[in-house]
Amino acid sequence: MQGSVKIKNRKRLLSHQGDDSFMNLLKLAGLFKAISSGGNIVIYYSGHCSRRGPGTSTITFRDGNWRYEEDGVERAGPPYLIVSDAERIYGEEIYAILKESRIERIITMVFDTCNVGTFFENVIKFLYVYRARDDGGSEAPSQDEARGSRTQIIFVAATRFGENAGTFREKNKENGAVTVLMDEFFKVRGASRSAQALVEKLYNVCHTRQKPRIYSLFPIDGDFELLP
């Protein structure tokens, strides 16, 4: 799957799947403007995530498929995304933009890719972890934990590190399993739509291959919405 990203707020939708610099696009045309304009934001990424020491990444199209080739010692460094220009994007680079938010808003990131659970490890201190009950249950801090930001950041990770992201194929089109299941989840009316209900659904279908989780700075109260 070729790396792609979408950024959406109430005013605009940015989609990236090309050869230009991914980080330049985020900074100049997409995320920076969305952060500056106010309103809630959704960032959706599907593609490739890896974890190696210093090296290079290349993407080639052979035999009808995108193929990733990487240098560097496996698992020697922090995880990174590899997008369609083969640039390695680290969590600290994206957070450097997110932390510019100074208003009360919600930024939701959905990364449907392999190995992504530790993408923001040592970068963002998520105080709340939503896991399925059979995956150890959810975590919450003590009530006196201080809030250091007015911006809620939510991170939906399709996999833990070391897990592959499953896909569903329909009509010769392949989509990430978590993407398809989340689409089904939000279309159902009348059922619980809490963050816990979502991870339970994802886990029930995917747990033999991957264990999706949701991380957040603050509690996700009531119904969980991608773009409230």
Side-chain angles (χ1 to χ4, degrees), residues 43 51 79 98 106-111 113 115-132 135 137-141 151-163 182 195-196 198-199 202 210-221 224-226:
I43 303 171
R51 185 172 189 167
L98 300 185
I106 300 173
I107 300 175
T108 302
M109 295 176 284
V110 181
F111 287 6
T113 182
N115 303 309
V116 79
T118 57
F119 184 70
F120 290 107
E121 185 178 55
N122 301 321
V123 176
I124 303 176
K125 183 181 179 182
F126 289 111
L127 302 179
Y128 295 81
V129 182
Y130 294 85
R131 289 186 295 247
D135 189 26
S138 298
E139 296 178 18
T151 298
Q152 163 74 301
I153 298 179
I154 299 171
F155 177 43
V156 181
T159 57
R160 301 179 302 176
F161 185 77
E163 295 177 343
M182 287 184 68
Q196 187 64 41
L198 175 56
V199 293
L202 298 177
Q210 65 198 87
K211 296 177 175 59
R213 296 174 177 177
I214 300 175
Y215 303 85
S216 66
L217 289 182
F218 311 140
I220 305 172
D221 297 323
F224 174 49
E225 300 180 70
L226 285 181

Side-chain angles (χ1 to χ4, degrees), residues 1-2 44 46-47 112-114 158-159 164-170 173-181 205-206 209-210:
M1 183 184 298
Q2 188 183 25
Y44 170 82
S46 65
D112 191 354
T113 182
C114 307
T159 57
N164 294 321
T167 58
F168 292 149
R169 180 176 290 275
E170 183 178 11
K173 185 177 182 181
E174 195 172 78
N175 292 299
V178 165
T179 298
V180 173
L181 293 169
V205 177
C206 301
R209 182 186 182 98
Q210 65 198 87

Side-chain angles (χ1 to χ4, degrees), residues 3-22:
S4 64
V5 66
K6 293 184 179 180
I7 302 169
K8 185 174 183 180
N9 65 6
R10 290 296 184 191
K11 299 179 181 178
R12 66 199 306 272
L13 170 67
L14 170 76
S15 177
H16 170 74
Q17 192 167 9
D19 297 326
D20 51 310
S21 170
F22 179 88

Side-chain angles (χ1 to χ4, degrees), residues 12-52:
R12 66 199 306 272
L13 170 67
L14 170 76
S15 177
H16 170 74
Q17 192 167 9
D19 297 326
D20 51 310
S21 170
F22 179 88
M23 284 307 296
N24 283 341
L25 184 68
L26 284 185
K27 293 175 182 177
L28 302 178
L31 187 53
F32 183 79
K33 288 185 178 179
I35 289 289
S36 302
S37 65
N40 298 326
I41 297 170
V42 173
I43 303 171
Y44 170 82
Y45 173 81
S46 65
H48 185 63
C49 181
S50 188
R51 185 172 189 167
R52 291 177 180 266

